[in-house]
Amino acid sequence: MPFRIGLTRDFLTDDGRVGWGDIGLAALDEAGDVTWDFIDTAEGDITPDAVRGYDALIVLTPRVTADTLKGADRLVLVARFGVGYDNVDVEACTRHGVLVTITPGGVRGPVSVAALTLLLAAAHRLGQKDRLVRTGRWNDKLAYMGTGVTGRTLGLIGWGNIGREVSRLCAPLGMRQLAADPYADPAKAAADGVTLTDLDTLLAEADFAVVTCALTPQTHHLLDAERLARMKPAAYLINVARGPIVDQVALTEALVAGRLAGAALDVFEVEPPDPADPLLALDNVLLSPHAIAWTDQLALGNGSAAIRSALDVAAGRVPAHPVNPEALDHPRLLARKVSR
């Protein structure tokens, strides 16, 4: 029986094209004893009926829940297209013998460049200057001086896969670099010219605070009103991680009150945000629809890595970057001879 792979339908545009461009699907066509297609789910929870008969799923935004797995008579892999897996019930997957993988190599470069893009755009007040031209206010430009980054302090909230790459990209800019991450290697940080510190110190000293940590129960509202109040009035907050890491109401209040110079956000507590959300009306905020890093390079990198995970499991190999390696001990995976 062929190994059957399903991709969530949100990879497709309304007219049936792969909206991401090349995501490496040729590798599936070239693989032996493998079939693939798109499941019926493009948003919301993936239903049990949608996954029945599939051995692996490649998932973009729909949710894999405990109920989803009730239909998973053959499922052994959920390969996330990206590094966040808050749309996957990992504990339920582990109980059912379903391995969950992510694609850190595919996102490292594009998301880090996106973080730098937002940082520089905020520092130069690009959004406001763009509106000056579009609204005929050319001569108001003296009221919108930017902030130079050389010699300023960069604070990285999370110094993992993406945080380290942001450090590398920013090194030529001559910024002092701080990072708050309890799991970071002090020796590696020192070698890269990064000072590890606690979060409160980082927020008090950073001119640009960049959120790159994962969303977990411990990091939900990590930046609440109290922590945001520690930031300098001239500082900027950039978030390319997950929206709920920041208390969005508290952030809005700080921006309205002038306790922060500005923010650049690719992610929100609720996505998409309510059009009436007062954050969207602020002049000192740059916004992107959780897509600032969406490039051809990210598409191919993520897609190829997720597909490689599926083909590895199909061949009885342990894939790279499992989130729940303990699932490898489950009888379902052992029966497929996928074991460590």
Side-chain angles (χ1 to χ4, degrees), residues 53-306:
Y54 285 97
D55 300 284
L57 295 179
I58 296 175
V59 176
L60 188 52
T61 59
R63 293 183 292 272
V64 177
T65 69
D67 284 342
T68 303
L69 301 177
K70 292 176 180 176
D73 51 342
R74 290 168 47 180
L75 193 69
V76 288
L77 176 72
V78 170
R80 262 288 292 133
F81 182 95
V83 292
Y85 49 90
D86 43 298
N87 60 327
V88 179
D89 188 332
V90 177
E91 291 185 4
C93 286
T94 303
R95 290 196 304 272
H96 283 77
V98 177
L99 201 60
V100 179
T101 60
I102 56 176
T103 58
V107 302
R108 181 184 300 113
V111 175
S112 300
V113 170
L116 179 58
T117 299
L118 288 178
L119 187 157
L120 293 174
H124 287 269
R125 305 179 75 169
L126 180 61
Q128 292 161 314
K129 290 175 179 177
D130 174 85
R131 287 188 288 275
L132 290 181
V133 177
R134 295 176 187 274
T135 58
R137 297 167 56 212
W138 184 279
N139 291 329
D140 290 345
K141 56 192 173 185
L142 282 175
Y144 293 90
M145 295 297 291
T147 301
V149 299
T150 302
R152 294 287 171 36
T153 298
L154 169 68
L156 292 159
I157 302 168
W159 202 67
N161 181 51
I162 292 170
R164 292 194 302 272
E165 183 66 8
V166 175
S167 279
R168 188 187 70 80
L169 291 174
C170 289
L173 299 177
M175 303 181 78
R176 173 188 176 226
Q177 295 198 23
L178 304 178
D181 188 329
Y183 305 104
D185 184 331
K188 289 183 178 178
D192 289 349
V194 176
T195 300
L196 295 180
T197 188
D198 62 274
L199 180 57
D200 289 344
T201 300
L202 180 149
L203 292 171
E205 298 185 11
D207 298 295
F208 301 92
V210 182
V211 183
T212 64
C213 63
L215 174 62
T216 68
Q218 292 72 36
T219 62
H220 183 272
H221 280 193
L222 181 68
L223 300 187
D224 56 12
E226 181 179 351
R227 285 222 164 97
L228 291 171
R230 295 179 183 276
M231 296 182 69
K232 302 174 184 178
Y236 291 85
L237 179 70
I238 295 95
N239 190 359
V240 293
R242 285 294 186 270
I245 296 169
V246 179
D247 181 337
Q248 191 166 303
V249 171
L251 174 62
T252 302
E253 291 174 351
L255 290 164
V256 170
R259 295 193 300 270
L260 281 177
L265 308 173
D266 185 46
V267 290
F268 305 86
E269 283 215 56
V270 176
E271 295 183 355
D274 186 332
D277 190 319
L279 179 73
L280 276 58
L282 297 182
D283 189 53
N284 56 344
V285 182
L286 280 171
L287 305 173
S288 170
H290 204 153
I292 189 67
W294 286 18
T295 63
D296 54 347
Q297 293 175 342
L298 179 136
L300 183 57
N302 277 357
S304 296

Side-chain angles (χ1 to χ4, degrees), residues 4-13 16-20 23 25 28 36-47 50-51 54 56-65 68 75 77-82 87-88 294 306-307:
R4 191 176 178 204
I5 301 169
L7 291 84
T8 53
R9 193 162 289 275
D10 53 335
F11 284 101
L12 300 177
T13 60
R17 294 177 296 105
V18 178
W20 288 78
I23 59 172
L25 293 173
L28 293 178
W36 68 276
D37 56 19
F38 292 94
I39 69 172
D40 290 335
T41 309
E43 60 183 2
D45 295 350
I46 301 176
T47 65
V51 302
Y54 285 97
L57 295 179
I58 296 175
V59 176
L60 188 52
T61 59
R63 293 183 292 272
V64 177
T65 69
T68 303
L75 193 69
L77 176 72
V78 170
R80 262 288 292 133
F81 182 95
N87 60 327
V88 179
W294 286 18
I307 288 167

